[in-house]
Amino acid sequence: MSTQLPFLAEMDWHQVWYLISRPDNVPIVLLLILCPFYVWLAFREARKNDNLIAQLEADPELAKTHHRTTYPYKKGWPKTVQVWPHLLKREFLAMVIVTIILIIWSICLDAPLEDPANPNLTMNPSKAPWYFLGLQELLVYFDPWIAGVVLPSIILLGLMAIPYIDVNPRGNGYYTWKQRKFAIGTFLFGFLVMWVLLVIIGTFIRGPGWLWFNPGETWDHHRVDHQFNRDLHEFFGIEGTWPVFFFGLGFISICAGAIGGVTHACIKKMMPDMLKRMSFLQYQVTMQLWIMMMLVLVKIILRLTFVVKNVWVTPWFNV
Amino acid sequence: MTDTDTNKPDQEEGNKGGLFTTLRSKVKSPSELNKELKETVLWKSIFRHKLDGSPRNRSLAVLSNVFLHLHPARINRDAVRYNFTWGMGGITFYLFVNLTLTGTLLMFYFHPSKGEAYRDIMFLQYDVPFGNLLRNMHRWGAHAMVITTWLHMVRVFMTGSYKPPREFNWNIGVLLLLFTMLLSFTGYLLPDDQLGFWAVTVGTNMARATPILGHEGPFGPELGFTAFNDVRFALLGGSVVDANALLRAYIWHCIAIPILASVLMIVHFWRVRKDGAISGPAPVMLESEAARK
C-alpha cells in the first residue's frame, strides 16, 4: 500500500474519470450521493422529533393533549386519509418518475459487454458485482471461508436477530436519535462503514492485483508490492504449533474480552435500562454480534497498518 | 356527410326534418352517453360501484380492486409523506415488476448456452428493435433495485419499524434483501462475457472454501470433499464456470429465485397489512411511558 496521498496537481484525473464514468460504477457513485442524503434526511426528522420529545417531557400538561408528531394537526382533523386518491396519486407519480429516470439512464448509458468469456484470460482486476465488493474486500483481511461464507452468514443472521434483541420500546414508528443511540449508531456504523465503505474501497481503490491505489493514482498493471505478510505471532517470535495456536486464541480472547468489557461498562453507565430489559440470552447475542463486528474492524486495522496476515494460525485453519 | 347528400330520400318519404336532423336528435350528448354507458350490463359487470368522489366510493375503489386491495381504504394522514417512507419499498416493488417485464422480453431473444448466449446479447444490442434499450433498462433497473432495497432497509431501521408487532416481517425483508442480490448476481453471468464470467468465478470460488462443505474449507477435505463433489460443484454443475453453470444461473435467475422472491413478497405485503399498515409516523413515546413498558 502506498501511503502518500498524491497532491491534487499530480492526480491522474483521467484515471478518476475512467473509474467514476464506468457504467457499472454508476450505482456506487449514486450510493455516494444517496447514502449521505438519506442519512441526513433521517437525522433531520430525528432532531425534530427529539426536540418535540424534550418539549413534551418538560411540559406534562401539553403531553396529555398534544398529537405527538411533528407534522401539523388540528383538533377535528381526521387522523387518517383516503388511500384513493392521497396515497395512490403519489404511488402513480413515483412510478412515472422512476420510469422516466430508468429510461433516460438506459438511453444515456449502455450496459457493459466485455469480450466473450475466456477462462484462459484472467481479468485484472477481476471483481465481483459491485454489491459484493465489500465481501471481496474482506478477502484481503480474511481467508475465503471467513470472508465469503462465515461473515455473510453472520451478517444475515445478525440482521434477522435485530428485532429480537432490540428490546427498547422507544422509537417504534418515528425517527429519533436520542432514544435509540446504541441501536442506530451500531446499525449505521455497520451499514455505512463496514458495508458501503468497503464497497467503495473495492470499487474505486482496488486496482490491478487488488492492490491499493489512492484516488487519482494511475492503475499500473505492472506494479508489484513487496510486502512482508507476517502472522501476528511472528512479531513476537513465537514458534511451534501449539504455542502459536494458544497465542492466537489468547490474542483474540483478550481483544474480545477488552471490547466486550469496555462496551459492557459503557452500557452499564449510559444505558442502565437496556441491561434491565434484556434477558441473559438477548444480551449475550447482542454482545457476541457487536464484538464480532469490532474484531473484524481490528483485523482490518492490523492488516492495513502492520501488514498482519493472520492473528490465529492453526494446523486446520487461519484467522 | 353533407346535407345535400341526404336530403333527397327524406323528401321522397315526406319527412319534415332531414335525415341529418333526425339522426341528430337521436345523438346523445357526451354526458348523456356517459350516464347511459354506466347503466349498461357490461359496465356494471366490471365496475361494482359509482365513480363520484364520495368517501364510500373512494374506499370501494381500493377495496374492490384486486391490484389495489393490498392497500387499506384509509391510512395514517402523515404516512404518505415522502420524508417518512422515502417511497423506497414501493419503488423496489415497482422495479421488480419492471424487471419481470423487461426480463420476459429479453428471454424471447436469449439462449442459455455457450456461444449462443453472447451472440444473443450482441443481437439484442445491434439488431433487435429497442433491444439495447431493453437490456439497459434491465441492467440499470437491477442495480437500482439493489440500492432501493438497501435504502428501504435503512428507513425501516431508522424508524424502528421492526419493533413489535413487525419483528417477523423484518426477517422476511432480510431474506428478500438476500434474494434481490442473488437475483442480480445470477443475472451477471448470463451475457457470458469476461465481466460476468470472472465475477461469478470470484463469487463462487468463495463456495469452495465453505467450512465442512467445500473442498478447500476447514474440515472439508477431511470429510472427503473434492472439487468434483463439494458445494461449489453443486452450484456450478461442474468444477469450473461453464455451460452447466450458465444454464443453472439462467434457471435460478428466471424461474427459481423470482418465484421464491414473489412468495416472500406476498408474505411481506400481507404482513404489512396484518400488522396494522406501516408503522407510522407514530406518536412519540416519553420516558415515563417507556419505563412502564
Side-chain angles (χ1 to χ4, degrees):
Chain A
M1 185 182 74
S2 69
T3 47
Q4 284 171 322
L5 192 71
F7 296 107
L8 286 186
E10 292 171 11
M11 279 178 75
D12 180 353
W13 291 103
H14 179 261
Q15 181 73 52
V16 174
W17 175 245
Y18 174 83
L19 284 177
I20 60 174
S21 65
R22 291 280 82 195
D24 254 6
N25 287 352
V26 168
I28 302 106
V29 178
L30 278 179
L31 266 186
L32 275 173
I33 300 163
L34 291 177
C35 277
F37 173 74
Y38 281 109
V39 169
W40 168 79
L41 191 62
F43 271 92
R44 198 188 66 160
E45 295 293 305
R47 203 181 59 227
K48 282 189 211 163
N49 280 326
D50 287 341
N51 288 342
L52 176 68
I53 291 165
Q55 194 192 348
L56 296 180
E57 295 279 8
D59 188 351
E61 280 311 304
L62 182 64
K64 279 179 197 159
T65 55
H66 197 274
H67 63 280
R68 302 263 188 118
T69 67
T70 52
Y71 304 114
Y73 181 74
K74 278 190 184 140
K75 222 176 169 187
W77 285 5
K79 294 219 161 169
T80 56
V81 290
Q82 293 273 352
V83 162
W84 170 264
H86 297 286
L87 175 61
L88 289 174
K89 73 179 178 191
R90 285 170 169 86
E91 287 181 342
F92 181 70
L93 193 63
M95 278 162 66
V96 171
I97 292 171
V98 171
T99 310
I100 290 172
I101 291 174
L102 197 57
I103 289 177
I104 292 177
W105 187 357
S106 303
I107 289 172
C108 296
L109 280 180
D110 276 347
L113 185 69
E114 304 278 339
D115 292 338
N118 182 355
N120 299 318
L121 187 68
T122 311
M123 293 261 283
N124 189 12
S126 58
K127 294 190 176 187
W130 61 270
Y131 36 85
F132 285 146
L133 284 184
L135 297 175
Q136 197 177 351
E137 173 65 11
L138 281 179
L139 279 174
V140 175
Y141 314 104
F142 296 98
D143 282 355
W145 67 276
I146 302 180
V149 184
V150 175
L151 287 178
S153 307
I154 292 176
I155 291 170
L156 283 176
L157 291 175
L159 283 173
M160 292 176 90
I162 285 175
Y164 304 103
I165 55 180
D166 181 1
V167 290
N168 182 355
R170 284 155 291 199
N172 187 344
Y174 56 92
Y175 292 96
T176 174
W177 160 247
K178 287 186 177 162
Q179 292 188 334
R180 298 175 59 209
K181 285 180 187 167
F182 181 73
I184 287 177
T186 309
F187 180 81
L188 284 186
F189 175 77
F191 178 64
L192 294 177
V193 178
M194 303 297 279
W195 188 259
V196 175
L197 184 65
L198 290 185
V199 168
I200 288 166
I201 290 175
T203 310
F204 295 127
I205 303 293
R206 294 298 181 177
W210 208 258
L211 297 176
W212 184 288
F213 290 86
N214 285 320
E217 204 175 328
T218 311
W219 281 19
D220 176 5
H221 281 257
H222 304 290
R223 192 176 117 187
V224 180
D225 264 19
H226 297 286
Q227 283 191 339
F228 289 102
N229 279 329
R230 278 187 293 182
D231 295 335
L232 192 65
H233 61 85
E234 290 168 8
F235 284 77
F236 298 91
I238 293 165
E239 284 169 22
T241 308
W242 290 107
V244 165
F245 177 90
F246 285 112
F247 167 79
L249 188 60
F251 179 79
I252 291 177
S253 308
I254 288 167
C255 282
I259 293 165
V262 169
T263 314
H264 180 75
C266 289
I267 289 174
K268 216 172 167 184
K269 199 171 172 216
M270 284 145 64
M271 293 165 281
D273 78 305
M274 173 174 161
L275 267 182
K276 243 182 281 166
R277 282 178 204 281
M278 284 179 133
S279 72
F280 180 72
L281 181 64
Q282 284 170 326
Y283 190 69
Q284 276 304 313
V285 173
T286 310
M287 276 307 233
Q288 301 296 344
L289 290 170
W290 167 261
I291 288 170
M292 254 184 280
M293 185 162 82
M294 287 300 146
L295 283 178
V296 171
L297 187 68
V298 167
K299 179 74 193 282
I300 290 175
I301 291 168
L302 280 178
R303 170 83 200 186
L304 289 180
T305 50
F306 299 108
V307 206
V308 173
K309 190 168 192 315
N310 296 307
V311 293
W312 186 19
V313 177
T314 78
W316 314 281
F317 58 84
N318 300 322
V319 177
Chain B
M1 204 181 278
T2 62
D3 256 12
T4 45
D5 291 334
T6 54
N7 268 346
K8 247 184 181 174
D10 287 338
Q11 282 166 349
E12 281 168 9
E13 282 176 34
N15 283 352
K16 283 190 177 173
L19 176 60
F20 184 72
T21 327
T22 321
L23 283 176
R24 221 165 62 173
S25 72
K26 291 193 175 178
V27 169
K28 284 162 185 146
S29 71
S31 64
E32 277 177 320
L33 255 184
N34 190 17
K35 208 173 162 190
E36 269 190 28
L37 174 68
K38 286 171 185 165
E39 299 292 319
T40 58
V41 180
L42 178 66
W43 181 276
K44 282 183 168 175
S45 72
I46 301 171
F47 302 102
R48 299 301 196 186
H49 60 87
K50 289 181 187 159
L51 288 181
D52 55 90
S54 71
R56 181 185 141 81
N57 282 337
R58 286 178 167 187
S59 301
L60 286 173
V62 174
L63 298 179
S64 67
N65 181 310
V66 67
F67 300 107
L68 301 182
H69 89 286
L70 277 173
H71 296 92
R74 302 183 68 87
I75 46 162
N76 184 338
R77 63 178 296 119
D78 295 315
V80 295
R81 287 177 185 274
Y82 187 79
N83 282 357
F84 184 75
T85 65
W86 309 347
M88 283 303 163
I91 291 173
T92 306
F93 178 60
Y94 176 63
L95 286 170
F96 179 79
V97 172
N98 218 313
L99 286 162
T100 309
L101 292 176
T102 52
T104 308
L105 292 175
L106 285 172
M107 283 171 80
F108 284 122
Y109 295 99
F110 185 79
H111 305 78
S113 53
K114 278 278 174 187
E116 276 180 296
Y118 188 83
R119 197 205 59 192
D120 287 341
I121 303 295
M122 298 285 272
F123 184 54
L124 269 163
Q125 280 197 333
Y126 299 110
D127 286 322
V128 178
F130 298 105
N132 200 26
L133 182 71
L134 196 63
R135 175 168 180 248
N136 290 348
M137 280 181 74
H138 196 72
R139 179 119 184 164
W140 304 139
H143 283 350
M145 188 177 160
V146 173
I147 294 178
T148 55
T149 311
W150 293 2
L151 290 176
H152 175 58
M153 198 166 200
V154 171
R155 193 286 288 180
V156 169
F157 190 93
M158 297 297 278
T159 55
S161 301
Y162 57 80
K163 297 190 175 196
R166 299 180 181 79
E167 305 99 315
F168 181 67
N169 217 10
W170 166 271
N171 284 344
I172 302 291
V174 173
L175 290 179
L176 280 169
L177 170 84
L178 172 69
F179 282 130
T180 303
M181 295 204 280
L182 287 182
L183 267 175
S184 200
F185 183 61
T186 48
Y188 221 72
L189 180 66
L190 298 184
D192 197 31
D193 64 343
Q194 281 285 71
L195 200 62
F197 177 86
W198 287 104
V200 171
T201 301
V202 168
T204 51
N205 270 347
M206 304 232 190
R208 74 168 98 199
T210 311
I212 300 171
L213 295 176
H215 75 279
E216 283 178 7
F219 311 111
E222 286 85 344
L223 288 164
F225 282 109
T226 66
F228 304 98
N229 63 3
D230 70 346
V231 63
R232 181 168 174 274
F233 189 91
L235 287 174
L236 295 178
S239 59
V240 290
V241 179
D242 204 3
N244 283 351
L246 189 60
L247 184 63
R248 284 186 189 204
Y250 179 73
I251 292 167
W252 280 115
H253 184 75
C254 303
I255 298 170
I257 303 179
I259 289 176
L260 287 171
S262 299
V263 170
L264 286 176
M265 262 183 267
I266 291 169
V267 180
H268 200 60
F269 301 155
W270 169 258
R271 288 299 289 239
V272 171
R273 282 296 302 282
K274 289 293 145 183
D275 296 338
I278 68 166
S279 62
V284 296
M285 183 183 269
L286 301 184
E287 286 305 315
S288 53
E289 294 155 344
R292 260 180 267 137
K293 286 230 169 180

